[in-house]
């Protein structure tokens, strides 16, 4: 056990990857909605825009990096990122070694 916790399995890792990636996309979408609704003469608008863009980009990059680093076969350590893309669901078998996940 690492630090009193069990290591994350593939399914929990994929949930974390989806949460970070789609959370970042959601922050960017909220930013676009705020920019389209709020008048441009507000003094707090540039700060909110910068914060939401930073959170969105950090979430997207964090999700992709977490997927590359942690989304791996527990037996052969092959990546499960499906050619560099974040998978919508895990395959039943590892593409490299053929063992069931």
């Amino acid at each position: 056990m690492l630090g009193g916790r069990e290591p994350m399995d593939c399914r929990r890792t994929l949930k974390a990857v989806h949460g970070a990636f789609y959370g970042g996309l959601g922050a960017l979408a909220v930013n676009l909605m705020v920019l389209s609704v709020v008048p441009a003469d507000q003094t707090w608008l540039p700060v909110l825009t910068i914060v939401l863009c930073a959170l969105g980009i950090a979430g997207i990059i964090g999700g992709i990096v977490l997927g590359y680093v942690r989304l791996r076969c527990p037996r052969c350590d092959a990546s499960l990122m499906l050619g560099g893309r974040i998978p919508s669901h895990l395959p039943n078998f590892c593409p490299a070694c053929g063992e069931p996940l």
Side-chain angles (χ1 to χ4, degrees):
M1 290 208 276
L2 302 172
R5 293 183 160 181
E6 294 180 20
M8 290 176 62
D9 63 344
C10 293
R11 293 181 191 348
R12 288 181 57 196
T13 302
L14 185 62
K15 286 182 185 180
V17 167
H18 282 171
F21 184 80
Y22 292 119
L25 283 179
L28 290 177
V30 167
N31 187 24
L32 286 176
M33 288 190 303
V34 166
L35 286 175
S36 66
V37 173
V38 176
D41 61 349
Q42 301 292 325
T43 57
W44 51 268
L45 188 61
V47 174
L48 181 66
T49 301
I50 292 171
V51 168
L52 284 175
C53 280
L55 286 175
I57 291 170
I60 290 171
I61 292 173
I64 292 171
V65 168
L66 181 65
Y68 273 116
V69 172
R70 299 293 308 258
L71 197 57
R72 299 194 167 273
C73 174
R75 289 169 188 84
C76 71
D77 204 36
S79 178
L80 300 175
M81 286 286 287
L82 299 175
R85 299 183 310 262
I86 295 175
S88 60
H89 64 282
L90 289 176
N92 292 333
F93 299 95
C94 173
C97 67
E99 292 291 320
L101 297 173

